[in-house]
Amino acid sequence: MKRVIPVLVLSVAGLIPVWRYEPSIGTTTTTEAVSTPTPTPTATSSTPSSSSSSSSSSTPSTSSKKVVQGTAINTDKGTVQVQVTFEGDKISAVSMLQQPNHPQTTAAVPVLIEETLKAQSSKIDTVSGATITSDAYVQSLQAAIDAKGA
């Protein structure tokens, strides 16, 4: 009889997380792009005085912006798809076109984007607790990087 009360209390305590669990509903959401600050090239005037002064200064070569979408990757949690903005060979922004509507994914996306901008490649660590989404993000990101080169 002494064991009945602790068993019941621990059983209820163990079931509370199960009752509170909120599974993903399979819908997707979009997030805004996070970009790194890049210097914008200034437009030069066609007057001779400004062109001669700008030719003596060292100006960066103008790089073209290219926006590439990655492949949509279907996971158990939902679809993951990224869009990557390149300035020259540099990744300047990454945004999620599709992502699972799940708390772990919502928390992981900014970390994944930040890591991508630091690494400038798809060789980034997965986010603990959002491994499935992280792996799909890396696959979609690599597909966008490959498509940019083609």
Side-chain angles (χ1 to χ4, degrees):
M1 194 66 175
K2 292 179 184 179
R3 295 182 188 171
V4 171
I5 293 174
V7 168
L8 288 175
V9 169
L10 291 174
S11 296
V12 170
L15 288 175
I16 289 175
V18 174
W19 291 326
R20 295 185 48 121
Y21 178 71
E22 184 178 322
S24 63
I25 54 177
T27 59
T28 59
T29 60
T30 58
T31 59
E32 293 182 26
V34 176
S35 63
T36 57
T38 56
T40 56
T42 57
T44 57
S45 175
S46 62
T47 60
S49 63
S50 67
S51 65
S52 64
S53 65
S54 68
S55 65
S56 64
S57 66
S58 62
T59 58
S61 62
T62 56
S63 58
S64 61
K65 273 189 171 181
K66 186 172 183 179
V67 179
V68 182
Q69 292 182 0
T71 306
I73 308 295
N74 293 318
T75 68
D76 294 339
K77 302 288 183 185
T79 306
V80 176
Q81 184 178 21
V82 300
Q83 177 175 301
V84 183
T85 303
F86 294 94
E87 288 187 20
D89 289 336
K90 184 178 178 187
I91 298 173
S92 62
V94 179
S95 62
M96 297 293 287
L97 296 179
Q98 297 181 59
Q99 74 181 54
N101 186 14
H102 196 268
Q104 285 88 355
T105 300
T106 305
V109 167
V111 175
L112 292 168
I113 291 173
E114 181 181 340
E115 290 296 319
T116 301
L117 294 175
K118 282 183 194 174
Q120 290 295 305
S121 72
S122 64
K123 294 178 180 164
I124 59 173
D125 291 331
T126 59
V127 175
S128 178
T131 307
I132 294 171
T133 301
S134 298
D135 290 341
Y137 172 89
V138 168
Q139 290 177 17
S140 183
L141 177 64
Q142 186 60 52
I145 292 171
D146 293 344
K148 187 253 181 198

